[in-house]
Amino acid sequence: MSAFVVIRDWLDERFGWAELIAPLKHKTVPLHRLSYWYFLGGITLFLFVLQVCTGILLLLYYRASANEAFESVQYISTKVQFGWLIRSIHSWSANLMILTAFAHMFSVLFLRSYRKPRELTWVTGAVLLFLSMGFGFSGYLLPWNTLAFFATKVGTDVAGQVPFIGHFIVVFLRGGEEVTGATLTRFFGFHVAVLPGITTLLLAIHVLLVQRFGISVPPSVEKQWIADPSARSEMKFFPNFMLREMMAWYIALGVLGVLAAMSPWGIGAKAEPFASAPAGIKPEWYFLFMFQTLKLLPSKIWFIDGELLGVLGFGLAGAVWVFLPFLEQPRWQWARVFIIGLGVFALAYMGSMTVYGFIAK
């Protein structure tokens, strides 16, 4: 008898393992020509788990103070065995996780998987994407290098444009009026405690909602299956689809390994708070479309500050995006076309402004 069987029987005897995994055995996944988009959610979850594991390893050596943060990252990258690899995997997987989260969100939108009764699945997913970007923003400062320091200064300055509570938000984020060691400590707390706690809770709700409502199919496939029930095709989630999912994780791990080994994440120069900001400073790619938009806006639009108008516009767009599924009502025939059109516009706008932001000086 293999060790796996012994462990399985031991668990089954004590916890009723067979009953616990019974829902997985009954769960099915629709099979059609667009089924491969279903892998994106699982890959995003896999990269999040990698983030947690590598983050815990980095915590063994990282020190969150302005006097020691940069040196501790330098120590991890040059002295700790495979420390450079763990750090590179952590940084690259963060970027890949945000990329796959964006891809997952747009695939859900264009497959119209947000429809009733999955509105809250969309809402929790959209908030999870914003939290992922929060991970990126808070983690960016932790190496305490020049680029991270000034990018944080610019980012928190933008937050200060929010009417009435802007100054409060800046002080709250920075732990004072300026970006200092207090900001680093605060961002460290956000990155390793606050955001992971909220994300884990929301992720559990998101997964439970997916389990509760099942996996949707595109409207065109749904119509075809209703007209011809014999065309309906499904696969058991466990173990059939799960094995395919694990192959997708394996491919993602391969891509991540190549990126981490061939292009190790740099350290840069230690932050000098009293030095001038380097020329052409830019945020991470997932904030670039917003950054470039704010740069292009004139200082005054009518009687309102251009940057303030931009911040308000992005805030409103984010709120509309979160509650997008609630627009699709049977009595609003225009809503479906509007939602898909908005998705196409958002994708085109974010893509073009990101490319423009990369090449602009």
Side-chain angles (χ1 to χ4, degrees):
M1 186 179 290
S2 68
F4 173 77
V5 173
V6 172
I7 293 170
R8 185 197 62 189
D9 291 346
W10 190 90
L11 288 171
D12 191 31
E13 188 180 341
R14 283 154 182 82
F15 303 107
W17 181 252
E19 289 181 17
L20 285 175
I21 64 170
L24 291 178
K25 288 184 175 178
H26 293 116
K27 183 179 170 61
T28 58
V29 177
L31 285 184
H32 49 83
R33 61 189 174 82
L34 299 171
S35 292
Y36 52 85
W37 288 106
Y38 295 152
F39 293 121
L40 285 170
I43 293 174
T44 307
L45 177 61
F46 171 68
L47 292 169
F48 174 72
V49 173
L50 275 183
Q51 283 282 284
V52 174
C53 295
T54 52
I56 290 171
L57 292 175
L58 292 173
L59 275 177
L60 299 177
Y61 295 95
Y62 180 75
R63 294 189 290 275
S65 75
N67 292 328
E68 297 179 299
F70 182 81
E71 286 75 10
S72 66
V73 174
Q74 207 169 32
Y75 182 78
I76 290 169
S77 301
T78 57
K79 302 292 184 186
V80 177
Q81 195 168 22
F82 295 114
W84 65 273
L85 185 60
I86 298 298
R87 179 169 174 257
S88 286
I89 288 175
H90 190 74
S91 301
W92 276 113
S93 64
N95 282 269
L96 288 179
M97 183 182 75
I98 294 173
L99 180 65
T100 54
F102 267 114
H104 180 47
M105 181 183 67
F106 278 105
S107 71
V108 168
L109 181 79
F110 292 131
L111 295 176
R112 296 184 60 213
S113 302
Y114 55 81
R115 290 170 296 150
K116 183 182 178 182
R118 298 180 177 82
E119 296 96 332
L120 290 180
T121 313
W122 167 274
V123 170
T124 52
V127 177
L128 280 170
L129 174 65
F130 296 151
L131 287 171
S132 300
M133 296 170 76
F135 269 113
F137 185 62
S138 57
Y140 197 56
L141 181 65
L142 300 191
W144 198 246
N145 59 32
T146 302
L147 195 60
F149 177 85
F150 286 104
T152 303
K153 192 171 187 312
V154 172
T156 48
D157 278 341
V158 170
Q161 294 296 322
V162 177
F164 307 116
I165 58 171
H167 182 256
F168 169 78
I169 293 175
V170 170
V171 172
F172 174 73
L173 290 174
R174 292 179 174 176
E177 297 288 343
E178 300 294 334
V179 177
T180 62
T183 314
L184 176 66
T185 307
R186 191 156 289 204
F187 272 43
F188 178 71
F190 292 148
H191 194 72
V192 305
V194 178
L195 290 175
I198 298 172
T199 300
T200 303
L201 177 63
L202 208 56
L203 192 58
I205 296 172
H206 187 71
V207 172
L208 281 174
L209 288 171
V210 173
Q211 297 304 314
R212 175 69 182 84
F213 298 121
I215 298 175
S216 73
V217 294
S220 59
V221 176
E222 196 174 66
K223 285 179 184 175
Q224 184 188 353
W225 287 3
I226 291 173
D228 180 13
S230 65
R232 188 181 186 88
S233 180
E234 292 178 327
M235 172 187 283
K236 282 193 172 182
F237 177 80
F238 186 82
N240 303 39
F241 188 80
M242 190 66 202
L243 289 172
R244 292 190 179 193
E245 184 85 63
M246 289 174 73
M247 285 304 298
W249 297 354
Y250 186 67
I251 293 170
L253 185 63
V255 171
L256 182 60
V258 169
L259 288 170
M262 301 298 289
S263 183
W265 211 259
I267 304 174
K270 185 173 181 177
E272 291 291 343
F274 298 108
S276 302
I281 188 169
K282 296 175 183 177
E284 287 287 85
W285 62 269
Y286 37 87
F287 291 118
L288 204 49
F289 73 96
M290 290 187 278
F291 174 78
Q292 195 60 33
T293 302
L294 295 178
K295 272 183 67 177
L296 291 176
L297 289 174
S299 58
K300 285 283 184 186
I301 300 177
W302 196 20
F303 62 90
I304 305 175
D305 286 344
E307 199 168 77
L308 170 62
L309 199 63
V311 170
L312 290 175
F314 282 121
L316 180 63
V320 170
W321 195 261
V322 169
F323 297 105
L324 210 55
F326 298 98
L327 291 176
E328 188 158 313
Q329 301 291 333
R331 61 183 183 279
W332 295 343
Q333 296 296 325
W334 52 268
R336 180 176 62 82
V337 178
F338 172 76
I339 290 173
I340 298 299
L342 191 64
V344 172
F345 172 77
L347 187 60
Y349 183 80
M350 291 165 65
S352 57
M353 289 303 286
T354 300
V355 172
Y356 182 42
F358 267 115
I359 60 177
K361 294 184 178 177

